[in-house]
Amino acid sequence: MSSFLEVGFQNSNSSLMDLLMIFHDYLMVVVVVIMIMIIYMIAYINWSKFTYLHLKESQGLEILWTLLPVVLLLFILFPSMKILYLMEETNPLVTFKAMGHQWFWSYEVLNNDSYETDSFLAQNTQGFRQLDTDFRVGVINQVMTRVLTSSTDVIHSWTIPSLMVKSDAIPGRINQMNFSTYRAGVYYGQCSEICGANHSFMPICLESISVSYWLKYLSSLK
Ligand SMILES: [Cu+2]
């Protein structure tokens, strides 16, 4: 979870998040280099006393400043697409559905004769304030899990920042994402699409547990 005055990403808890963080750092290098180059060019043009009077057109220059960004974009495209496909092309063992409501989430494990269970903001003062819920959705540690998100009223967004997953919950539409956790524990998130008055009070609380505990959790849902 996030700590006080944290500005960067939360600590990584999944292999996909590791890849995404590496990609982010790589992208930041590219962005900063471009920015420095552009600022240098603007400064140079503005403060230089010299102008090239006879430069009306230059095919070579045109080709150069068209191809250079294309090559740069290719260097961004390939790692980006690789991670995108790694995120999508998985074989999840467990699927649960996260339904957004005004203003709580409800969960249902699919392929299991279970009820949909509502997950409200925890009333007691134990746990983290405005992050804990009265029902935590359970997943198996280190097992690829699929989340289907949808909504019954307005658009919500289901997210766990320390797994770097976020998916809009849109009424009449089912979105899908996959993740697995590195370590057992409790993961927190908050609704990430403004959905009305109590948008701030519908947190997401996920508990990653071992298989044996998860089976107990599953039977408790029936
Ligand atoms: Cu919301």
Side-chain angles (χ1 to χ4, degrees), residues 168-209:
D168 274 9
I170 299 167
R173 187 193 156 95
I174 299 171
N175 282 332
Q176 170 187 321
M177 58 188 169
N178 309 298
F179 67 84
S180 65
T181 56
Y182 270 159
R183 43 186 88 84
V186 187
Y187 297 84
Y188 296 102
Q190 286 174 302
C191 178
S192 299
E193 182 65 54
I194 188 86
C195 58
N198 289 328
H199 167 63
S200 321
F201 308 106
M202 48 180 294
I204 296 140
C205 193
L206 182 112
E207 195 162 340
S208 177
I209 45 184

Side-chain angles (χ1 to χ4, degrees), residues 84-137:
L84 195 64
Y85 276 89
L86 280 171
M87 288 167 87
E88 301 282 316
E89 307 283 312
T90 55
N91 294 311
L93 287 178
V94 184
T95 302
F96 73 84
K97 187 180 76 178
M99 266 285 186
H101 307 263
Q102 279 175 318
W103 289 274
F104 61 96
W105 292 95
S106 66
Y107 298 101
E108 188 182 342
V109 180
L110 298 191
N111 305 320
N112 175 52
D113 303 323
S114 64
Y115 298 114
E116 199 171 86
T117 315
D118 294 342
S119 173
F120 287 92
L121 176 69
Q123 297 273 319
N124 58 18
T125 50
Q126 284 186 326
F128 292 105
R129 196 178 78 94
Q130 293 187 3
L131 278 179
D132 259 304
T133 53
D134 58 358
F135 170 81
R136 290 170 173 174
V137 58

